[in-house]
Amino acid sequence: DAGVIQSPRHEVTEMGQEVTLRCKPISGHDYLFWYRQTMMRGLELLIYFNNNVPIDDSGMPEDRFSAKMPNASFSTLKIQPSEPRDSAVYFCASREGQRGPQYFGPGTRLLVL
Amino acid sequence: RKEVEQDPGPFNVPEGATVAFNCTYSNSASQSFFWYRQDCRKEPKLLMSVYSSGNEDGRFTAQLNRASQYISLLIRDSKLSDSATYLCVVNGGSSNTGKLIFGQGTTLQVKP
């Protein structure tokens, strides 16, 4: 079975540009999570969805960040405009039900110059 | 107080040693517990779920103490390949269903 798929795996962009990260969850999973990881702050939950509906976006840093889940098999995380402090690894994860474990994608390494 | 607390380490142990990590959580309503492993520059991966009765998977044993609100992971006969960061993970509890809370991780370095 395919795991969580993320694209791109690496992204280098210049400050001010728009960045779009993509995620395909594991088929049948009804929860989808977006995380950011840096050395300084560790793993931070940005937002999560249940059945395509955003449930908790309190971790989204500011209005420059937005996330959508138009259907059960696709989600995007957009940063517009990007800033150097957004440089991090962004992980997507999915989960079936409220009690089971999450499964992470390989991450997108974002570098904003 | 953090919702999930772990000793960040690092724990430096020789091959073959037994090492134990503890983790405490603050929400008594939490119902699901896990240990994840994260290698450098990789995604966190599920190591094992933690059940009330305790569970074992090869050299790894996980224990849950609900009364004291802590979780432990024991690694026996440690291998060089066990070197990684181990993340304690707890379900957010009845008021926060669906959300998993991650500890900051404990770093293990197994040396020859």
Coordinates of all heavy atoms in Angstrom, one line a residue, chain A residues 11-15 17-19 82 110-113:
Chain A
E11 N 12.1 22.2 -1.9 CA 11.6 23.4 -2.5 C 12.6 24.5 -2.1 O 12.7 24.7 -0.9 CB 10.2 23.8 -2.1 CG 9.7 25.1 -2.7 CD 9.2 24.9 -4.1 OE1 8.7 23.8 -4.5 OE2 9.2 25.9 -4.9
V12 N 13.2 25.2 -3.0 CA 14.0 26.4 -2.7 C 13.3 27.6 -3.4 O 13.1 27.5 -4.6 CB 15.4 26.2 -3.2 CG1 16.2 27.5 -2.9 CG2 16.1 25.0 -2.6
T13 N 13.1 28.6 -2.7 CA 12.4 29.7 -3.3 C 12.9 31.0 -2.7 O 13.7 31.0 -1.7 CB 10.9 29.6 -3.1 OG1 10.2 30.6 -3.9 CG2 10.5 29.9 -1.6
E14 N 12.5 32.1 -3.3 CA 13.0 33.4 -2.8 C 11.9 34.1 -2.0 O 10.7 33.9 -2.2 CB 13.4 34.3 -4.0 CG 14.6 33.8 -4.7 CD 15.1 34.8 -5.8 OE1 14.3 35.7 -6.2 OE2 16.2 34.7 -6.2
M15 N 12.3 34.8 -1.0 CA 11.4 35.5 -0.2 C 10.4 36.3 -1.0 O 10.7 36.9 -2.0 CB 12.2 36.5 0.7 CG 11.4 37.3 1.7 SD 12.4 38.3 2.8 CE 13.1 39.5 1.7
Q17 N 7.9 34.9 -2.6 CA 7.2 34.0 -3.6 C 6.1 33.1 -2.9 O 6.2 32.9 -1.7 CB 8.2 33.1 -4.2 CG 9.2 33.8 -5.1 CD 8.6 34.5 -6.2 OE1 7.9 34.0 -7.0 NE2 8.9 35.8 -6.3
E18 N 5.2 32.7 -3.7 CA 4.2 31.8 -3.1 C 4.7 30.3 -3.2 O 5.3 29.9 -4.2 CB 2.9 31.9 -4.0 CG 1.8 30.9 -3.6 CD 0.6 31.1 -4.4 OE1 -0.1 32.2 -4.3 OE2 0.2 30.1 -5.1
V19 N 4.4 29.6 -2.1 CA 4.8 28.2 -2.1 C 3.6 27.3 -1.8 O 2.8 27.7 -1.0 CB 5.8 28.0 -0.9 CG1 6.1 26.5 -0.7 CG2 7.1 28.8 -1.1
S82 N 6.1 34.0 1.1 CA 7.0 33.2 1.9 C 8.1 34.1 2.5 O 8.5 35.2 1.9 CB 7.7 32.1 1.1 OG 8.3 32.6 0.0
L110 N 11.7 22.9 2.8 CA 11.5 24.2 2.3 C 12.6 25.1 2.7 O 12.9 25.2 3.9 CB 10.2 24.8 2.7 CG 9.9 26.2 2.3 CD1 9.8 26.3 0.8 CD2 8.6 26.8 2.9
L111 N 13.2 25.8 1.7 CA 14.3 26.8 2.0 C 13.8 28.0 1.3 O 13.7 28.1 0.1 CB 15.6 26.3 1.5 CG 16.8 27.3 1.7 CD1 17.0 27.6 3.2 CD2 18.1 26.8 1.1
V112 N 13.7 29.1 2.1 CA 13.3 30.4 1.6 C 14.5 31.3 1.7 O 15.0 31.6 2.8 CB 12.1 31.0 2.3 CG1 11.7 32.3 1.7 CG2 10.9 30.0 2.3
L113 N 15.0 31.8 0.6 CA 16.2 32.6 0.6 C 15.9 34.1 0.7 O 14.7 34.5 0.3 CB 17.0 32.3 -0.7 CG 17.4 30.9 -0.9 CD1 18.0 30.7 -2.2 CD2 18.4 30.5 0.2

